[in-house]
Amino acid sequence: NMTCENIDHKGNKSWSVLKRDSSEFDAGVGVNEYVDGTGPWKNIIGAKCSYGIRYFEDASYYIEKCKISEKAYKEFSEN
């Protein structure tokens, strides 16, 4: 379980809490809940998104799937 701050290519920020039940470090699946954000990220505050992550050597590979509103989709598409 961890809290993250992310900054996108335009300087907008999102803050989220990632949770997963597995104690396996190399890979896992869990839920990412967005708790705050600026720019388009403010439109997904409260969203709970499924994610999967895999660590390999010095990199991590991450995929996330979220159900978001049309408004959020439009704002992300424009940015």
Side-chain angles (χ1 to χ4, degrees), residues 44-65:
I44 64 168
I45 294 171
K48 293 181 180 178
C49 308
S50 299
Y51 76 89
I53 191 163
R54 170 88 176 155
Y55 298 95
F56 181 73
E57 295 180 358
D58 292 333
S60 61
Y61 302 88
Y62 179 92
I63 189 167
E64 180 175 85
K65 292 188 177 186

Side-chain angles (χ1 to χ4, degrees), residues 18-49:
L18 288 91
K19 296 180 182 179
R20 64 178 169 147
D21 293 331
S22 171
S23 61
E24 178 66 33
F25 182 77
D26 290 343
V29 296
V31 174
N32 183 15
E33 181 177 359
Y34 287 88
V35 295
D36 203 359
T38 64
W41 299 98
K42 68 182 175 286
N43 295 308
I44 64 168
I45 294 171
K48 293 181 180 178
C49 308

